[in-house]
Amino acid sequence: MVTVSQPAPSGGTRHHDVMLCGAWRLGGKVDPGGGSVSTVHVQFPRTLIPWPSDRIDRITTVPLPALEGMGALLSQYVTCIVLDPSDYRPADAVRLGNVLVDLITALLAHHIAAGNAMPQESGRSALLVRIYAHIERSLGDPELSPVTIAAAHHLSVRSLHRLFAEQGTTVSDWIRERRLERCRRELTDPLSRDMPIRTVAARWGYSNPAGFTRAFRAAYGLTPQEYRGQGAPSARTGRKAEKRGPSL
């Protein structure tokens, strides 16, 4: 859900910050260069963001600059959509939403890596950011595993497992969740409606269609075919087993 607030008639100071609120709502003041938008709020399920909660909690309510770097990209993207909604068709909504989630993820990754709210852990945080990014880039590789990830970052497998245990998850669980989310997004994309489900699964590292179906049903309560046919009901609530974020 995107909520737009108009500027007060009396004017006043405009801020240029992006802030992540506790209810997993991204909000901020934006200056659209003469337009009528003053504030945009984006509400999204927590499960769409590929970061452990404790990492995100540390920058919750911390103002992030919206006039430079990743903040500028995000604020400009949201502002353009809000100011010119007639430029987009209903079928564009899923792809626009996917891009928005990716931009939010990139913004958070940037500030987590910089250690804005946790200078004492900046090195460890930067390592996690690199590992998460490596996993995202490699989801389509069926050989992606703790062994290959550890080797790519000059870590022992034991150290990698310990790092993920500190985040309250495991390497294998993280890979599975990210693959399933990418598949879920692909299944909701109108441009992929004619793509066979086995092809979607293979694009994201599932070489065994039956195994993919079992994993998908365990996560979302429906088979991939049922999910696609029912209009992706869980796209609004996130994973069946992790309803930690608010509904859209």
Side-chain angles (χ1 to χ4, degrees):
M1 178 182 70
V2 178
T3 302
V4 181
S5 301
Q6 303 297 331
S10 57
T13 302
R14 288 187 175 182
H15 304 284
H16 301 281
D17 293 328
V18 176
M19 184 177 294
L20 185 68
C21 303
W24 294 101
R25 184 180 63 197
L26 190 73
K29 301 280 187 176
V30 297
D31 183 354
S36 59
V37 178
S38 175
T39 304
V40 174
H41 295 287
V42 180
Q43 188 170 336
F44 52 92
R46 161 67 184 90
T47 50
L48 295 184
I49 303 300
W51 295 97
S53 295
D54 70 319
R55 294 285 155 182
I56 303 302
D57 288 345
R58 302 193 188 193
I59 56 174
T60 297
T61 73
V62 175
L64 306 176
L67 292 181
E68 59 187 41
M70 296 305 304
L73 285 176
L74 175 60
S75 62
Q76 289 168 15
Y77 178 78
V78 173
T79 301
C80 287
I81 293 175
V82 171
L83 288 180
D84 299 301
S86 61
D87 290 345
Y88 310 100
R89 300 172 299 171
D92 295 329
V94 171
R95 297 188 71 84
L96 290 172
N98 288 343
V99 172
L100 177 60
V101 169
D102 287 342
L103 285 173
I104 293 172
T105 301
L107 173 68
L108 299 180
H110 174 81
H111 288 282
I112 289 173
N116 284 357
M118 43 188 171
Q120 74 280 10
E121 296 183 5
S122 59
R124 207 165 178 79
S125 298
L127 175 60
L128 275 169
V129 168
R130 292 196 299 272
I131 292 173
Y132 290 143
H134 174 83
I135 291 174
E136 288 295 309
R137 290 193 305 268
S138 307
L139 290 175
D141 181 3
E143 302 301 319
L144 181 66
S145 69
V147 173
T148 63
I149 295 168
H153 295 86
H154 309 291
L155 295 170
S156 69
V157 175
R158 177 176 295 182
S159 295
L160 179 68
H161 283 307
R162 185 183 306 118
L163 198 59
F164 273 72
E166 292 171 357
Q167 314 311 313
T169 187
T170 68
V171 183
S172 297
D173 284 349
W174 187 263
I175 294 172
R176 182 179 65 254
E177 290 174 7
R178 295 310 305 151
R179 280 176 169 160
L180 288 172
E181 173 57 24
R182 288 292 182 172
C183 291
R184 185 199 66 77
R185 288 169 60 170
E186 193 101 51
L187 291 172
T188 63
D189 190 339
L191 295 181
S192 301
R193 68 169 62 92
D194 296 325
M195 183 182 294
I197 289 175
R198 66 171 59 237
T199 303
V200 172
R203 276 169 51 82
W204 298 107
Y206 283 100
S207 56
N208 183 337
F212 167 65
T213 296
R214 286 194 298 270
F216 194 95
R217 181 161 45 198
Y220 299 107
L222 297 170
T223 67
Q225 186 66 44
E226 291 168 341
Y227 188 91
R228 175 183 266 177
Q230 293 188 19
S234 296
R236 295 186 295 273
T237 58
R239 292 171 59 85
K240 181 185 70 170
E242 297 183 286
K243 296 181 180 177
R244 292 176 293 179
S247 299
L248 287 177

